[in-house]
Amino acid sequence: VQTCALPIYETSGTVAADSSGAGWAGLLVNGPVWTAGAINNAADLDGTDDYVSLSADVVNGLGNFTVSTWVYLDTVGNWSRIFDFGTGTTANMFLTPMNGATNVVRYAITTGGGAGEQQIDGTAALPTGTWKHVAVTWAGNVGILYVDGIEVGRNNSMTLNPTSLGNTTQNYIGKSQYADPYLDGRVDDFRIFASALGASEIAPIVSAGMPVPSAPTGLGATAGSTRQITLAWSAASGASSYNVKRSLTNGGPYTVIA
């Protein structure tokens, strides 16, 4: 698996190291600072002129692929870029947290400028003020866009992949090939895979960056009809589901009943 991870660790103030060992370090341009990320250190981009420049060969020759990263938006501007790899406005592939046409997260790739884009639209723009994981995959002409490990968009007729772009010489995180706004926010754990990860493979990447929910509070039990008890508790921030267990012995062992 070809992997470029950014930034796993900071080697100097202006370099984001490539943890895969392939030597694709990122150059921090115009003064991004390091800050706490979802996984490790994150590059904090100011939305004015900060971006990260990656090596010219970072997606060269890729067919099937996955691009995966964590992003925390301070503000969101139309057509700002999470990443944009290409040679200019004619040939590029990019991910924007909010496109200016339908106002939702979008991945697009083109070898014929804006009019020739093959696109995957999500269902909403990425929100501000919270870490979100985004991933785009391509294999067998099928492109899929994920947010927090959930598929939010799909295009089953995508004929273009990174190989179609040739040798991309302008590979940016946080900057567009066009005169679009710079990304205002943080980027962490940027990865490129030479395969299309499935949802089950993306899930552990997402789980690694999700905060562990606190235990629910306010548990109460109310007697109901015969052989029934109604349970209620306060929601735990970040929890998506709960398991109810019971035991006939104090201290367990417990069996899941709901």
Side-chain angles (χ1 to χ4, degrees), residues 68-84:
S68 159
T69 191
W70 286 93
V71 61
Y72 183 108
L73 298 176
D74 294 318
T75 62
V76 58
N78 283 341
W79 299 115
S80 64
R81 298 291 202 264
I82 297 173
F83 70 83
D84 195 330

Side-chain angles (χ1 to χ4, degrees), residues 30-240:
N30 294 328
V33 297
W34 293 100
T35 188
I39 302 292
N40 299 286
N41 290 331
D44 193 353
L45 312 178
D46 64 7
T48 301
D49 59 1
D50 290 357
Y51 66 98
V52 180
S53 179
L54 301 182
S55 302
D57 57 352
V58 71
V59 293
N60 190 26
L62 277 184
N64 296 349
F65 77 93
T66 300
V67 178
S68 159
T69 191
W70 286 93
V71 61
Y72 183 108
L73 298 176
D74 294 318
T75 62
V76 58
N78 283 341
W79 299 115
S80 64
R81 298 291 202 264
I82 297 173
F83 70 83
D84 195 330
F85 302 155
T87 56
T89 58
T90 300
N92 54 74
M93 55 184 283
F94 69 84
L95 180 63
T96 176
M98 183 171 71
N99 75 77
T102 59
N103 298 321
V104 299
V105 58
R106 170 181 288 178
Y107 166 76
I109 184 169
T110 182
T111 56
E117 286 181 359
Q118 297 179 4
Q119 304 167 348
I120 313 172
D121 274 4
T123 56
L126 295 186
T128 60
T130 186
W131 282 103
K132 304 296 286 185
H133 184 269
V134 288
V136 58
T137 71
W138 184 94
N141 295 344
V142 178
I144 304 176
L145 179 61
Y146 296 88
V147 175
D148 288 341
I150 305 299
E151 181 179 327
V152 296
R154 173 185 291 248
N155 185 333
N156 294 322
S157 303
M158 301 192 77
T159 58
L160 300 177
N161 60 31
T163 299
S164 309
L165 304 177
N167 184 31
T168 59
T169 56
Q170 299 176 172
N171 300 315
Y172 306 133
I173 295 173
K175 179 184 177 181
S176 173
Q177 308 287 334
Y178 294 81
D180 293 315
Y182 286 78
L183 190 76
D184 182 15
R186 291 168 257 172
V187 179
D188 187 16
D189 197 40
F190 193 94
R191 306 186 186 193
I192 303 171
F193 298 89
S195 62
L197 302 185
S200 63
E201 295 169 297
I202 294 173
I205 301 175
V206 176
S207 297
M210 288 291 188
V212 177
S214 59
T217 60
L219 177 63
T222 303
S225 57
T226 304
R227 303 181 68 182
Q228 289 186 343
I229 296 174
T230 298
L231 301 178
W233 57 88
S234 300
S237 178
S240 59

